[in-house]
Amino acid sequence: MTDVKVKIPNEIKQIFLFCVVGVVGFVVDTAVLYLLKSILGLYGARGVSFIAAVFSTWLLNRSITFKERRYTHWYQEFAYYFAYMIVGGVINLAIYMLLVAMSSTIAQYPIIGVAAGSVTGMMVNYLSSKFLIFKNK
């Protein structure tokens, strides 16, 4: 029996890892939202959950997805990452807020709004991560 080794292009690996990290970010986002929604309301809790998700995805993307492209100074890298994630986050949060305001079902089950917002912001976040934050130096 011969071993067949398939070489997966780096680009495909990065997209896959970015998506896996995104799923972790989604879980963090949703968990924090559900923990805080009775205290801060659906919008306040989502603001905090978004920040928690950005921090967790930054740690994972810098350690796994783009590990060969890290900044020397982690605080500078996080500042850039957070700033660029705000663009995808604005799209993400706008979709969430729109859906919560328009649908009592989504207001009752906000995970649906989190998912819709996350999917729409993901592509913007991947492109900014790859080409602006973790670009080749």
Side-chain angles (χ1 to χ4, degrees), residues 42-43 95-104 106-107 110 113:
L42 289 173
Y43 300 115
I95 298 284
Y96 170 80
M97 292 170 73
L98 182 67
L99 292 174
V100 166
M102 292 177 56
S103 170
S104 60
I106 294 174

Side-chain angles (χ1 to χ4, degrees), residues 84-85 88 123-134:
Y84 283 113
M85 293 304 107
M123 183 54 85
V124 171
N125 289 342
Y126 175 75
L127 294 172
S128 63
S129 290
K130 179 168 180 61
F131 295 111
L132 300 174
I133 302 163
F134 297 106

